[in-house]
C-alpha cells in the first residue's frame, strides 16, 4: 500500500492547499494485499527488542517545572495544560491576544498549541453560556492562528473552531443548519486506499482486527461449518486474515466458511465479496459469500440462509454507534442479533462520551478523543500524508461538525462509554466472555512490538478490552483515583466480595498474562525451549535471588514494626527461610548445567529489576507497598511454573524440578497467604498508598516480562 504512494507524490500533495487533489489520488485503484495473519504477529520476532517499557505504566503528568528549555509536549498534555491555564487566568477570557503568557520552558510550537487549545476551550464555554460575541472573537482567533495547521492539535482546534463558529451563526439565525448527508458506507468505499492504510497502520485497527479474529476463532472452536455474519464489512480485510488462520487448522479441516455481509449498497458488498472469494480460492478454502442488502433497521431473519449444521458468529465492527440516536432501533437490532443464536458476538466500538444533549459535555467528550486520534494518525500515517489528510478532512471534519452543530436526531455521530454498552448488552443477557490468554498475549505483543505505537495502551474493563491511543498522565491518575473508592467498595460492602488484588489482576490481565505465559515459559511447557536460554535464565535468576534476600529482610522489619497481625512475620519468615534452600538449589543446578555462577555478568534488565527491589527496602516505603510487590513477584513465578506442570504439558524431564520449585502446591499456598496479607492491608490503605501499590504491581509485571525476554534472548 505505502509503496503505491511514493514520497515524491506525498511531498507534492503536501504543498497543495486543497485536499480535493489528494482525494482523487487516493481513490485510484490499488491492489488488495491482505497481510497473512501470523505474518503480522511474526513481525514481533524482529521487533521484540523494542518490547520495552510500554505505556502501561504511564508517566507522571507533564508539567513545565524542571523541564529542559523548548520542550515539546504530547498532544494530551497540551490539553491538560490548556485547561489549567484557563482555570488560572479567568480574567483573560475574551480573546485578548496579549494576555497569553508564553512558557519559556516550552518550544514555540507547544506554546502555540497550548494557547490555541485554551482559546478553544474558552470559546466553547462562552458559547455554552450564550456569550456569542465573546465566543466569536475567540473562535476567529483560533481559526486565524491555526490556519496553517501544522500540528495535530492545531488541526483539531481548527475543525472544532470552524464548527462552533458555524453553530454561533445558526444560533443567531444567520444560516440554517446545513444537514450533513454523510453516508459512511459510500465514503468508506470511495476512499478505500485510505481506509486500507488505516487498517494496516493504526494500532487500534490492527489490535481490534486481531483480537476480533481470535475471539471469533475461539468462539467457533472446532466447528467445520462456520457462518460469519458481518454488519459493516468494509474492505473485508479482517476475514482474509482469518481465512489464513482457518486454512492452517490441522485436526478439524474446514468444510465451509460462509460470510453473510449486511449493508446498504449491493455493488459495494459484491466487490468485497469478489475479493474475499478470490482470496479464499487462492487458499483452496471452501467459501461462500452472501449479501443481505438492508439497513440494520427492520432486518428479517429469513433474509439470511442458515444451515442447521453450521455454527454462527456475529461481527459488528464500528456499526452500533450509528444507531445511538435511535435507542429503540438499537435495542431491536440487538434483539435481532440475539435471535440469530450466535456462538459469539464480537463488537468493536469507539469509546468516548458524545451521546449527550448537553453541548458542553459533548464538546469535552469529543475533544480529547479527537486530539488523541489525530496525534495517533500523525504518528502512524507519517509516510502517508495524503491518507491522513483524507481521514481527517473527510471523516473527522464531518464528525466534529455533526457533534457540534446538530441537535436531536440530526446528531448522528455519537459515541458511548463502555459502561453504557455493558448495561445495554446486559439487557439482552449478552455478557462479556473472557478473551483467551493467547488473544490477550497477542494483542499486547502487537502493540509492544511496534515502536510507532508507543502511545497505544491496552487495558481490560471486565472482559472488555480497551485500546487507547493516548492517555495523559493526569488522566491516568484521575481515572485511577475515581476507581479507587469503587475498588475498595467491592472489598468492603459488596456481597460478592472481590478483593483489591483480584480486581487489579482482572484489570491488568493483559500484562499478567504477558508475565505468566511468556514464550520462554510456553517453550518449557511444550518442550521446545532452547537450553541455552534456560541456562541464561538460571545464571541471571541466581543474581536476582541474592538481591531478593535484603528485600525480604527489609520487609520482615517493616512487618515487625507496622503490621497489625503477628502472623505476617511468620509468613514472611517462612519465605526468607526457603530462600536459603533456594540459593543452595541454584548452586547445585548451575553445576549440573555447567553454568559458572561466579562469572555470570548481570544484564541491564536484571540490574533494573534489582534496583527496583532495592528502592522498596527504604524505611520510607510503606509496608503495604512492599508486601504487595512481594506477593506479585512470588505469584508470577508460581503461576508461570505451575502452568508448565499442568496436564498436557511436555516439559522436558531435566526442567521438571525447576518447575516444581515454584509450581508446587505448597508454594501456591504461601502465595495465597501473601495475597491475603496484601488484601488486608490494601483494604485499609489510603488512596495514595492504594494508587502507589497498583503502580508497583504494574512495575513488577513489566520487570517480569523483561526478565523473561532477557532469558529468552530477545
Ligand atoms: C525474576 C524473578 N521473579 C520472581 C522470582 C520468585 N522469587 C524469582 N526467583 N525471579
Amino acid at each position: 500500500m505505502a509503496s503505491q504512494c511514493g514520497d515524491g507524490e506525498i511531498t507534492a500533495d503536501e504543498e497543495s492547499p486543497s485536499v480535493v487533489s489528494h482525494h482523487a489520488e487516493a481513490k485510484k485503484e490499488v491492489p488488495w494485499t491482505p497481510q497473512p495473519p501470523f505474518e503480522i504477529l511474526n513481525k514481533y520476532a524482529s521487533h521484540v527488542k523494542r518490547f520495552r517499557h510500554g505505556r502501561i505504566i504511564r508517566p507522571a503528568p507533564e508539567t513545565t517545572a524542571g523541564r529542559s528549555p523548548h520542550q515539546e509536549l504530547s498532544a494530551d498534555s497540551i490539553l491538560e495544560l490548556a485547561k489549567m491555564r484557563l482555570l488560572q487566568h479567568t480574567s483573560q477570557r475574551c480573546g485578548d491576544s496579549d494576555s497569553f503568557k508564553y512558557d519559556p520552558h516550552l518550544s514555540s510550537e507547544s506554546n502555540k498549541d497550548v494557547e490555541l487549545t485554551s482559546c478553544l476551550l474558552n470559546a466553547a464555554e462562552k458559547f455554552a453560556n450564550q456569550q456569542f460575541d465573546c465566543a466569536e472573537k475567540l473562535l476567529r482567533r483560533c481559526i486565524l492562528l491555526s490556519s496553517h495547521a501544522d500540528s495535530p492539535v492545531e488541526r483539531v482546534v481548527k475543525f472544532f473552531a470552524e464548527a462552533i463558529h458555524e453553530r454561533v451563526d445558526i444560533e443567531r439565525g444567520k444560516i440554517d443548519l446545513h444537514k450533513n448527508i454523510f453516508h459512511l458506507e459510500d465514503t468508506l468505499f470511495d476512499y478505500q486506499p485510505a481506509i486500507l492504510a488505516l487498517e494496516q497502520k493504526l494500532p487500534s485497527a490492527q489490535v481490534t482486527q486481531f483480537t476480533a479474529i481470535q475471539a471469533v476463532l475461539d468462539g467457533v472452536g472446532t466447528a467445520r461449518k462456520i457462518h460469519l455474519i458481518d454488519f459493516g464489512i468494509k474492505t473485508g480485510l479482517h476475514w482474509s486474515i482469518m481465512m489464513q488462520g482457518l486454512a492452517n487448522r490441522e485436526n478439524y479441516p474446514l468444510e465451509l466458511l460462509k460470510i453473510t455481509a449486511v449493508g446498504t449498497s449491493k455493488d459495494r458488498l459484491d466487490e468485497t465479496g469478489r475479493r474475499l472469494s478470490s482470496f479464499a480460492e487462492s487458499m483452496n478454502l471452501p467459501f461462500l459469500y452472501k449479501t443481505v442488502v438492508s439497513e440494520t433497521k427492520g432486518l428479517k431473519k429469513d433474509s439470511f440462509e442458515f444451515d442447521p449444521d453450521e455454527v454462527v458468529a456475529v461481527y459488528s465492527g464500528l456499526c452500533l454507534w450509528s444507531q445511538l440516536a435511535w435507542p429503540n432501533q438499537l435495542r431491536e437490532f440487538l434483539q435481532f442479533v440475539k435471535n440469530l443464536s450466535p456462538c459469539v458476538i464480537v463488537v468493536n466500538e469507539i469509546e468516548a462520551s458524545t451521546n449527550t444533549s448537553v453541548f458542553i459535555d459533548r464538546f469535552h467528550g469529543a475533544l480529547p478523543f479527537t486530539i488523541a486520534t489525530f496525534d495517533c494518525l500523525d504518528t502512524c500515517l507519517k509516510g502517508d500524508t495524503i491518507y491522513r489528510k483524507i481521514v481527517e478532512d473527510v471523516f473527522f471534519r464531518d464528525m466534529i461538525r455533526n457533534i457540534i452543530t446538530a441537535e436531536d436526531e440530526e446528531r448522528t455521530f455519537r459515541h458511548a462509554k463502555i459502561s453504557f454498552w455493558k448495561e445495554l448488552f446486559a439487557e439482552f443477557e449478552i455478557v462479556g466472555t473472557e478473551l483467551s490468554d493467547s488473544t490477550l498475549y497477542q494483542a499486547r505483543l502487537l502493540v509492544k512490538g511496534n515502536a510507532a505505537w508507543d502511545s497505544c495502551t491496552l487495558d481490560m474493563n471486565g472482559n472488555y478490552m480497551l485500546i487507547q491511543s493516548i492517555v495523559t498522565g493526569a488522566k491516568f491518575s484521575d481515572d485511577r483515583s475515581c476507581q479507587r473508592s469503587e475498588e475498595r467498595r467491592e472489598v468492603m460492602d459488596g456481597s460478592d466480595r472481590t478483593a483489591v488484588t483480584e480486581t487489579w489482576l482482572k484489570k491488568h490481565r493483559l500484562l499478567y498474562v504477558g508475565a505468566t505465559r511468556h514464550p520462554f515459559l510456553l517453550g518449557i511447557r511444550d518442550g521446545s525451549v532452547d537450553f541455552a536460554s534456560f541456562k541464561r535464565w538460571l545464571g541471571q535468576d541466581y543474581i536476582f535471588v541474592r538481591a531478593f534476600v535484603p528485600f525480604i529482610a527489609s520487609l520482615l522489619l517493616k512487618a515487625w514494626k507496622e503490621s497489625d497481625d503477628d502472623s505476617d512475620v511468620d509468613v514472611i519468615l517462612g519465605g526468607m527461610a526457603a530462600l536459603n534452600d533456594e540459593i543452595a538449589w541454584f548452586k547445585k543446578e548451575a553445576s549440573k548445567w555447567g553454568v559458572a555462577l561466579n562469572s555470570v555478568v548481570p544484564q541491564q534488565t536484571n540490574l533494573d529489576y534489582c534496583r527496583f527491589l532495592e528502592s522498596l527496602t527504604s524505611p520510607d516505603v510503606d509496608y503495604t507497598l512492599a508486601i504487595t510487590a512481594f506477593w506479585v513477584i512470588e505469584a508470577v513465578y508460581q503461576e508461570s511454573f505451575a502452568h508448565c506442570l499442568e496436564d498436557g504439558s511436555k516439559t522436558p524431564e531435566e526442567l521438571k524440578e525447576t518447575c516444581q520449585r515454584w509450581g508446587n502446591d505448597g508454594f501456591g499456598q504461601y502465595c495465597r497467604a501473601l495475597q491475603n496479607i496484601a488484601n488486608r492491608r490494601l483494604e485499609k490503605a489510603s488512596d495514595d498508598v492504594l494508587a502507589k501499590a497498583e503502580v508497583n504491581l504494574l512495575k513488577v509485571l513489566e520487570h517480569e516480562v523483561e526478565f523473561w525476554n532477557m532469558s529468552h534472548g530477545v
Side-chain angles (χ1 to χ4, degrees), residues 541 544-545 548 582 586 609 633-634 637 662 667 704 707:
D541 210 40
F544 177 85
V545 169
F548 210 40
E582 198 163 297
F586 268 101
Y609 200 176
I633 295 170
E634 298 288 49
Y637 260 43
W662 290 279
F667 195 73
E704 290 291 340
F707 206 91

Side-chain angles (χ1 to χ4, degrees), residues 34-44 206 210 213 217 238 240-248 279 283 442 446:
Q35 295 195 345
F38 302 111
E39 200 157 283
I40 298 180
L41 291 179
N42 284 341
K43 274 199 242 160
Y44 303 136
Q206 289 256 311
F210 264 95
I213 293 162
L217 284 173
H238 43 299
S240 71
I241 299 171
M242 193 178 102
M243 280 179 192
Q244 294 168 79
L246 285 171
N248 293 334
F279 191 69
M283 303 194 70
Q442 282 173 20
L446 193 54

Side-chain angles (χ1 to χ4, degrees), residues 36 138 180 201 396 430 433 466 480 495 530 601 669 675 700:
L138 290 161
N180 274 332
K201 299 208 170 153
F396 284 95
I430 299 172
T433 54
L466 283 177
R480 303 284 145 156
S495 49
D530 171 7
V601 180
Q669 273 167 23
Q675 187 173 11
V700 169

Side-chain angles (χ1 to χ4, degrees), residues 435-475:
L435 293 167
S436 68
D437 286 349
S438 65
T439 308
L440 299 176
Y441 189 78
Q442 282 173 20
R444 184 167 182 275
L445 213 50
L446 193 54
V447 169
K448 290 276 210 155
N450 193 324
W453 298 358
D454 248 9
S455 57
C456 183
T457 66
L458 294 179
D459 269 315
M460 296 302 291
N461 180 317
N463 286 328
Y464 294 80
M465 185 186 282
L466 283 177
I467 304 161
Q468 290 168 303
S469 286
I470 286 175
V471 182
T472 64
K475 186 170 183 301

Side-chain angles (χ1 to χ4, degrees), residues 51-311:
F51 198 101
R52 304 243 142 249
H53 301 286
R55 294 285 299 246
I56 303 241
I57 300 159
R58 284 87 173 184
E62 288 176 271
T63 61
T64 55
R67 164 184 299 287
S68 58
H70 313 306
Q71 193 140 355
E72 295 286 353
L73 283 180
S74 60
D76 46 350
S77 299
I78 284 169
L79 181 58
E80 293 303 322
L81 217 53
K83 283 182 188 167
M84 269 157 49
R85 289 278 176 96
L86 196 61
L87 286 174
Q88 283 161 3
H89 303 283
T90 42
S91 56
Q92 303 157 5
R93 286 258 167 142
C94 211
D96 173 4
S97 57
D98 297 330
S99 64
F100 188 86
K101 299 277 177 296
Y102 270 50
D103 183 331
H105 297 105
L106 297 183
S107 67
S108 58
E109 291 79 12
S110 291
N111 265 311
K112 188 178 171 199
D113 282 349
V114 175
E115 179 185 5
L116 272 170
T117 311
S118 63
C119 192
L120 178 73
L121 293 167
N122 199 357
E125 295 287 343
K126 293 288 180 288
F127 170 79
N129 294 333
Q130 307 214 326
Q131 295 168 264
F132 297 145
D133 287 344
C134 188
E136 198 173 15
K137 199 170 162 198
L138 290 161
L139 290 167
R140 268 203 238 107
R141 187 167 165 69
C142 288
I143 293 167
L144 187 76
L145 286 177
S146 62
S147 57
H148 294 297
D150 288 332
S151 73
V153 172
E154 278 184 50
R155 294 196 291 276
V156 173
V157 169
K158 186 165 177 258
F159 289 168
F160 271 92
E162 285 171 352
I164 304 177
H165 200 275
E166 186 178 339
R167 181 73 197 257
V168 170
D169 285 346
I170 295 168
E171 295 299 322
R172 286 180 161 154
K174 282 194 189 167
I175 54 169
D176 288 337
L177 172 63
H178 171 70
K179 284 190 187 156
N180 274 332
I181 306 170
F182 181 80
H183 202 285
L184 185 68
E185 210 178 317
D186 288 347
T187 315
L188 288 175
F189 198 84
D190 288 347
Y191 296 102
Q192 224 170 67
I195 302 307
L196 281 170
L198 265 192
E199 288 187 347
Q200 291 180 351
K201 299 208 170 153
L202 224 59
S204 49
Q206 289 256 311
V207 178
T208 38
Q209 259 178 12
F210 264 95
T211 310
I213 293 162
Q214 196 60 53
V216 170
L217 284 173
D218 289 344
V220 298
T222 55
R224 287 168 198 261
K225 286 187 181 178
I226 301 170
H227 184 176
L228 298 172
I229 301 179
D230 191 334
F231 299 96
I233 193 159
K234 303 178 190 73
T235 61
L237 183 69
H238 43 299
W239 296 133
S240 71
I241 299 171
M242 193 178 102
M243 280 179 192
Q244 294 168 79
L246 285 171
N248 293 334
R249 215 163 73 162
E250 275 170 10
N251 297 337
Y252 309 94
L254 190 75
E255 281 175 32
L256 183 67
L257 170 65
K258 179 161 77 185
I259 292 181
T260 302
V262 183
T264 51
S265 162
K266 178 144 178 54
D267 288 350
R268 309 213 184 308
L269 293 177
D270 284 349
E271 179 154 348
T272 300
R274 273 193 295 279
R275 285 167 170 172
L276 285 172
S277 301
S278 89
F279 191 69
E281 203 180 317
S282 72
M283 303 194 70
N284 274 333
L285 201 83
F287 180 65
L288 193 61
Y289 183 78
K290 296 274 170 193
T291 58
V292 172
V293 182
S294 165
E295 301 274 358
T296 39
K297 183 181 169 197
L299 274 166
K300 301 261 175 316
K301 198 170 171 183
D302 51 18
S303 311
F304 294 75
E305 288 174 26
F306 292 105
D307 172 342
D309 295 344
E310 70 192 15
V311 165

